[in-house]
Amino acid sequence: MKKLHLIGLAAASVLALSACSAGADTTAPAGSDALTPVTVGVIPIADTAPLYLGLDQGFFEDEGLDLTIETATGGAAIVPAVVSGDYQFGFSNLVSLMVANDKGLPLKVVNSAVASTGDVTSDFGAVIVKGDSPVETLADLDGKTVSGNSLNNIVDTVMRASIDRLGGDSSSISFVEVPFPDASAAVENGQVDAAFVVEPFVTAAIESGQRVISYGYADFDVNLDVAAYFSSAATVDGDPELVTKFQAAMKKSLEYAQANPDAVRAIIATYTKTPPEVLAKIVLPKFPTEFNVDAVTALGEAALKYGVVETAPDVSTFLP
């Protein structure tokens, strides 16, 4: 059974996001028991394409799961829904999950999700400015206003680290929260001096005449894992069979996405209103099935350095 819902997205956007609902199929796979309902909360961006592909390809049905995808603007909305049990699984950047871990929230990372391309000249996450902006590098952002989709997460953490490494002063920057779909417009109208966005909004910004001054994830670490799928401790401990089935379906989905970039671009068109000419040009991330422990460790240390967490996570227990 394929279901897709949409919640809480920013309305004002040149690239407004929408959800598509596949036709219901109440027939379980041959020889299987009734499908187990499972809800996953995600951000509808290029990063989450494997989940949509897994639904489309039947990988979740193969594992006996009846998947519903719920969408939101960021991990701040998804985490509470997972903790409360409204969602069985969620998608969030790793720093937000580190913050949750640091605060004692009962969350467990269960799957890798998305990682940097490893190319500092072409990645799926970037810092954009107006075409005529005097800002040329991250070090030029001192005293400026910069947006991310949420605060005290991976966006401002990796930016602070790179800015300071380049000789800038990240403590002088005002970070503000602007949803990814609205960020390019915020740059263009002068609401912010720069914005960190991810695909398909990077390419859309470039197409509109804006410039990239940093491919932020790759600039921090070319092997950076950016996000993960997670669940509550209650689900992990209380229903390990469900978690194992979800992990198996996600592994198939990630492998399929990595091997089929054209399918990734096509599926993105079903849950975002991205023009075909933009989809053809977007930079796709890597979709790994394993975490890069060294990069996640460095990310945790940066989160500690910039006061995002009080204690860096022990990756031996933080990661599955």
Side-chain angles (χ1 to χ4, degrees):
M1 183 180 296
K2 299 177 181 179
K3 294 179 288 185
L4 185 59
H5 296 162
L6 183 65
I7 61 172
L9 291 180
S13 170
V14 175
L15 293 172
L17 298 174
S18 67
C20 72
S21 178
D25 177 4
T26 57
T27 303
S32 73
D33 295 326
L35 299 179
T36 301
V38 59
T39 300
V40 183
V42 302
I43 309 170
I45 51 180
D47 309 33
T48 53
L51 184 70
Y52 290 86
L53 280 174
L55 174 62
D56 184 66
Q57 293 294 314
F59 298 146
F60 290 88
E61 288 187 34
D62 291 345
E63 296 298 330
L65 301 178
D66 174 15
L67 175 64
T68 295
I69 300 174
E70 297 278 3
T71 59
T73 55
I78 297 171
V79 167
V82 172
V83 171
S84 69
D86 290 338
Y87 304 165
Q88 285 70 52
F89 301 95
F91 170 93
S92 183
N93 75 78
L94 282 168
V95 171
S96 288
L97 294 176
M98 290 175 183
V99 171
N101 178 75
D102 192 51
K103 292 181 177 178
L105 292 179
L107 299 178
K108 297 284 188 180
V109 176
V110 297
N111 272 97
S112 56
V114 63
S116 166
T117 61
D119 185 349
V120 296
T121 65
S122 179
D123 201 12
F124 74 103
V127 183
I128 57 170
V129 297
K130 289 182 68 172
D132 60 357
S133 170
V135 174
E136 296 292 337
T137 72
L138 291 177
D140 297 329
L141 290 175
D142 286 6
K144 301 291 194 298
T145 300
V146 181
S147 75
N149 68 315
S150 59
L151 302 180
N152 294 320
N153 74 357
I154 194 167
V155 167
D156 42 3
T157 298
V158 300
M159 283 190 65
R160 288 182 192 278
S162 296
I163 288 165
D164 291 341
R165 187 186 72 248
L166 292 171
D169 179 9
S170 67
S171 66
S172 71
I173 296 173
S174 296
F175 286 95
V176 298
E177 187 171 312
V178 177
F180 288 138
D182 302 329
S184 180
V187 168
E188 199 61 32
N189 65 28
Q191 180 183 348
V192 297
D193 298 295
F196 194 112
V197 293
V198 296
E199 293 287 20
F201 307 109
V202 177
T203 297
I206 294 171
E207 291 288 294
S208 73
Q210 295 174 353
R211 292 187 292 109
V212 171
I213 62 167
S214 168
Y215 289 98
Y217 295 140
D219 279 345
F220 178 83
D221 192 307
V222 293
N223 297 310
L224 183 64
D225 284 289
V226 174
Y229 289 93
F230 66 97
S231 187
S232 67
T235 297
V236 172
D237 297 337
D239 198 346
E241 183 179 359
L242 175 67
V243 175
T244 298
K245 289 179 177 180
F246 178 79
Q247 290 173 322
M250 276 309 313
K251 185 173 188 294
K252 293 177 187 176
S253 301
L254 291 163
E255 289 174 340
Y256 185 85
Q258 187 62 37
N260 295 277
D262 289 343
V264 172
R265 296 176 194 279
I267 203 74
I268 293 171
T270 69
Y271 62 91
T272 76
K273 288 184 177 179
T274 307
E277 63 273 17
V278 174
L279 275 176
K281 297 177 181 179
I282 65 171
V283 177
L284 298 178
K286 288 182 180 177
F287 300 112
T289 58
E290 302 289 340
F291 289 96
N292 185 293
V293 175
D294 289 343
V296 175
T297 300
L299 185 62
E301 291 171 349
L304 176 64
K305 177 179 178 180
Y306 292 105
V308 180
V309 297
E310 293 183 4
T311 304
D314 178 353
V315 294
S316 68
T317 56
F318 177 71
L319 299 178

